[in-house]
Amino acid sequence: MTRPGFHLAIPVDDLDRARRFYGGVLGLSEGRSDTKWVDWNFHGHQVVTHVVPGARGEAGRNPVDGHDVPVPHFGLILSIEDFHELADRLRAAGTEFVIEPYQRFAGEPGEQWTMFLLDPAGNALEFKAFRDESQLFATH
């Protein structure tokens, strides 16, 4: 692993729906599990879905590029090819996007593709892909 891995635990209200989404739709492999949680291999990082009964809502939205970005959110930076393959897989699964896949900063430093969606429990995810990942933190 060239970067440190991260661990993130998120609440879900239905473990079977979480399995269908994270395992089926996103295609993540399942690690250890119990009756109330599942570890997921999130491209080398550990995301754990924990059953926490009760409704959740977004903390808020932040305007970015004319879109209302859900906050909090988490996700991955993928290759452009993997980004578009995932977008196609999400569309085929009938996923409703919070923000449809689109390109930001075309021809500028930090050029990227991004998309936002919610998992079945309402947790917001963002996936993005940079034309040049070395420009991840480019300002000009």
Side-chain angles (χ1 to χ4, degrees):
M1 191 179 295
T2 58
R3 296 181 182 162
F6 72 81
H7 164 85
L8 177 67
I10 58 171
V12 298
D13 52 2
D14 184 315
L15 212 49
D16 289 333
R17 286 190 333 165
R19 278 191 164 103
R20 286 192 299 274
F21 178 76
Y22 287 95
V25 176
L26 293 184
L28 306 181
S29 60
E30 186 173 324
R32 291 177 302 275
S33 66
D34 198 352
T35 59
K36 297 290 184 186
W37 55 268
V38 176
D39 286 343
W40 298 101
N41 180 348
F42 202 61
H43 293 260
H45 305 284
Q46 185 186 49
V47 170
V48 185
T49 49
H50 286 272
V51 175
V52 178
R56 271 174 277 310
E58 295 173 7
R61 299 249 175 158
N62 190 28
V64 177
D65 288 348
H67 298 279
D68 286 329
V69 171
V71 178
H73 64 263
F74 70 98
L76 289 172
I77 299 167
L78 303 170
S79 70
I80 290 175
E81 180 181 346
D82 289 345
F83 175 90
H84 289 292
E85 285 177 10
L86 177 60
D88 290 345
R89 191 166 60 243
L90 291 165
R91 285 184 186 106
T95 301
E96 185 177 323
F97 291 95
V98 174
I99 299 173
E100 292 277 341
Y102 78 103
Q103 188 177 30
R104 300 177 67 198
F105 312 124
E108 300 176 30
E111 180 180 316
Q112 63 189 268
W113 286 88
T114 186
M115 63 179 149
F116 288 82
L117 56 131
L118 302 178
D119 75 3
N123 297 298
L125 291 92
E126 176 186 18
F127 294 93
K128 56 174 58 179
F130 284 80
R131 180 176 46 87
D132 178 355
E133 195 174 324
S134 73
Q135 295 182 348
L136 182 65
F137 299 106
T139 57
H140 298 88

